[in-house]
Structures are given as C-alpha cells and as structure tokens.
Amino acid sequence: MATAASTPHPEVGTPIVAGLPMPEFRRIGVEPISGACGCEISGVDLREPLDPETLAEIMLAFQQFLVIVFRDQDLTPEQHKAFSRYFGELTELPQAPTYGGHSDMQEVRREAWEPVNVVPSFEHFHTDSPFLPQPPKCIVMRAIDCPQWGGDTAFSNAYLVYEHLSPGLKAVVDDLQIIYSGRDIWAKNEALAPEKRLRLREGHSFTEEQLQSIHPAVRVHPETGRRAIFANTAYFKGFVGWTEAESRALLDYLQSLAQQLHYHCRVKWRQNTLIVWDNRFTLHRGVHDFKHERRHLIRTTVIGEKPLGVADWHD
Ligand code: CO
C-alpha cells in the first residue's frame, strides 16, 4: 500500500507555515493560528523574567509568525513594560491616547454606548505610525475588557503579499519610495462631525519634522533580508516621483492583495490575552462587529529600525 513517504511526488517537501518550514520549539508550546501568520504560545508566565532559552524561542516564533498570542497574562503596567522591553526600547506616539498616567502606554477603547468606529483609514488594514522616521517595530497589546462576541483583531502577512507578486511588479515596487505624513491628523479630525472624531492624545512633543517621512515601499528585514510590502493607506501621500492618480492606483492594487484571506490570521481577544505583532511586516485592523459591549485594549509600542529598502540591504 502506498504511504505518504512513497507517493511519487518529489516536489512535496517539508510542510510550510507563514512561508517557512516549522521551527522546532522545546521550551514553549507553539500552535499556529493559520497557514499565513500568527501563533498561540503556551507554557510562559510573562509576569516573571524570562530565561535566555525561552526568550530565544519566543523571538524565533515572533520572527516567523509575526503575531504571537499569549493567554491569561494578568500583568501590571510595569510587568507589561518589562516584557515589552525584550523587543526593544519603548516609544511614545504623538497621536494615540495614553493609558492612565503612563506616557509610554497607549489605549484603544470603545465604550459600550459608543457607535461603531467610523474612521475609514483604520477600518482598512494598516501599519501603525509609518510617518515616523523609525516606525514601530512591534506593538504589545493586552485586553482589559473585550466583547463576548466579536471585536477580533485581524492581521495580514506582508511578506507573503510581496513574495506572490510577479517578477515584473517586484522590480517596480523594489525601487519605490513612499511619502507618509501624520501632520494633518489633528486638522482632519477637527473637520469631522464630533461623533465621528478619533480619540487623540491631548498633546505631544514631536516636531513637524518627525511627523513626515519617506520610506521604501518594499521593506527588508534587518537580519534575515526577507522582503515585504510596506505600503498602506493610512498616512499615505504618494510614491516619490509619481502623480497622485498613479500612486492611488498602485496603492489600491497592493491594498487589495493584502485583503486576501490566505494572507490572514484573526485573533479573538479574551480578558488578559496579550498579543505582540510585528508592525513592520504585517498589516492589522480591528474588526468592529460588536455592539453594546466595551472593548478596552492597552499597549506599549517598541521603536523600530529606520526601514531598510532593497538598495540598503547587503548580504
Ligand atoms: Co492600528
């Protein structure tokens, strides 16, 4: 009788998850969420300092899956920050409302009586704060309150979006640069009807200079050299050297690819669920399909490297 091993299909190799073979994990439990990205990690208590082997496996899972989910992590803000610092230095954000008295924590909050979030750019997949000179490496987010039904966060793997492009389109996007600007966030918000306004931070100390940047449309991982699309509608002003109409047309096409389900995972929050997501190589969006329930997520933001483009990468 034919077994899988003897089936004459020599092209069938190792199973692939998130675009790569599954690494071996000895210290932590790792359960992939979808074939595209995301995993749940078990066997770790994030209130405690992590031993080097456990930490190395968490970082390996983060590198491969881009979205790592821990359940039942009842952390104080200080414990939350201490765990976040394993990923790098924490940064403030100019626009996001802070959590409690912590200028280096932010919150995402919708009260039970509030209507659906209607800000269109965040109803799309996006990366956070790409207008900064060094946009966030990752976000560490924990649920304080979440709806019984709905309110998930969805993620899209931007490596896979890039890797599935044709050689012809890759050659075009490899050389492109994007202008992102956050300078008009406050004016745009003021122009909305009061009930449609974003809850923004009261004040900040960022300069005008820091609120606009030019970044590569294809971003390269600083250690592995893996390439991903780094283009999204939030704060997008255009491709350098392209007209607005040309820029929109290509951006819309790239965005439409990121919507495809085979690039996604989706995480259901429970109280004390903690997610770390790579903000460089994924896009994300909250799913506002809940009503009459409170959703309160608190987070830290870890500063990233200045984005590397294809031309900056040398083996
Ligand atoms: Co976001």
Side-chain angles (χ1 to χ4, degrees):
M1 206 176 85
T3 65
S6 66
T7 308
H9 288 289
E11 74 280 12
V12 175
T14 321
I16 297 295
V17 63
L20 298 167
M22 180 73 177
E24 198 179 335
F25 296 98
R26 295 166 184 276
R27 303 294 287 250
I28 59 174
V30 174
E31 189 65 42
I33 297 170
S34 78
C37 56
C39 71
E40 286 214 17
I41 293 180
S42 56
V44 187
D45 180 349
L46 300 181
R47 291 173 302 186
E48 305 291 339
L50 299 170
D51 65 78
E53 293 81 13
T54 301
L55 183 59
E57 291 202 353
I58 289 172
M59 292 304 165
L60 179 62
F62 174 70
Q63 184 170 300
Q64 170 136 358
F65 291 96
L66 303 169
V67 179
I68 56 177
V69 180
F70 301 85
R71 301 293 185 182
D72 304 315
Q73 303 292 334
D74 187 3
L75 307 183
T76 65
E78 291 315 318
Q79 289 165 337
H80 185 140
K81 290 184 212 181
F83 173 64
S84 307
R85 288 192 191 100
Y86 286 122
F87 293 84
E89 189 190 327
L90 305 190
T91 180
E92 297 190 17
L93 292 175
Q95 81 283 21
T98 51
Y99 170 62
H102 304 272
S103 61
D104 53 359
M105 291 186 86
Q106 303 89 38
E107 68 173 7
V108 172
R109 177 161 55 87
R110 194 179 121 197
E111 301 294 350
W113 62 83
E114 288 182 303
V116 172
N117 179 341
V118 282
V119 177
S121 55
F122 295 100
E123 290 285 285
H124 291 131
F125 278 105
H126 63 277
T127 62
D128 282 355
S129 309
F131 55 83
L132 294 173
Q134 291 178 244
K137 171 185 181 181
C138 62
I139 315 299
V140 181
M141 190 178 252
R142 191 170 76 87
I144 303 292
D145 277 316
C146 46
Q148 305 171 75
W149 305 296
D152 298 357
T153 298
F155 301 90
S156 184
N157 184 333
Y159 286 128
L160 300 181
V161 174
Y162 176 81
E163 287 163 2
H164 293 168
L165 297 179
S166 68
L169 187 49
K170 278 181 184 162
V172 172
V173 293
D174 277 353
D175 290 332
L176 281 181
Q177 297 204 296
I178 300 177
I179 305 158
Y180 287 110
S181 182
R183 288 181 186 167
D184 52 8
I185 300 171
W186 292 268
K188 269 185 166 169
N189 204 46
E190 280 299 303
L192 295 172
E195 71 278 9
K196 295 193 174 185
R197 282 182 200 153
L198 277 176
R199 191 180 276 121
L200 293 174
R201 191 176 176 184
E202 300 286 325
H204 68 80
S205 55
F206 286 71
T207 63
E208 281 288 290
E209 191 87 309
Q210 291 171 301
L211 298 179
Q212 184 164 308
S213 297
I214 294 179
H215 292 311
V218 173
R219 186 165 185 172
V220 182
H221 190 283
E223 281 131 42
T224 66
R226 199 173 176 195
R227 296 177 187 184
I229 290 291
F230 187 59
N232 74 107
T233 43
Y235 310 109
F236 177 91
K237 296 297 163 196
F239 295 108
V240 174
W242 289 38
T243 66
E244 197 180 334
E246 291 167 342
S247 296
R248 272 292 145 199
L250 179 57
L251 179 72
D252 285 350
Y253 178 65
L254 296 172
Q255 274 284 309
S256 76
L257 299 178
Q259 312 301 314
Q260 295 181 3
L261 286 171
H262 55 268
Y263 299 133
H264 297 178
C265 77
R266 188 164 158 159
V267 181
K268 176 169 173 54
W269 295 96
R270 295 196 294 262
Q271 194 178 37
N272 294 326
T273 293
L274 182 142
I275 303 181
V276 186
W277 78 81
D278 193 317
N279 186 61
R280 305 166 298 175
F281 303 107
T282 61
L283 299 100
H284 66 275
R285 55 174 293 187
V287 182
H288 284 260
D289 58 350
F290 58 100
K291 202 170 182 178
H292 302 155
E293 291 193 276
R294 186 173 203 258
R295 183 172 181 266
H296 187 201
L297 309 170
I298 63 171
R299 54 179 267 179
T300 51
T301 302
V302 176
I303 196 166
E305 75 282 2
K306 184 180 173 317
L308 295 180
V310 172
D312 304 315
W313 171 257
H314 306 284
D315 282 297

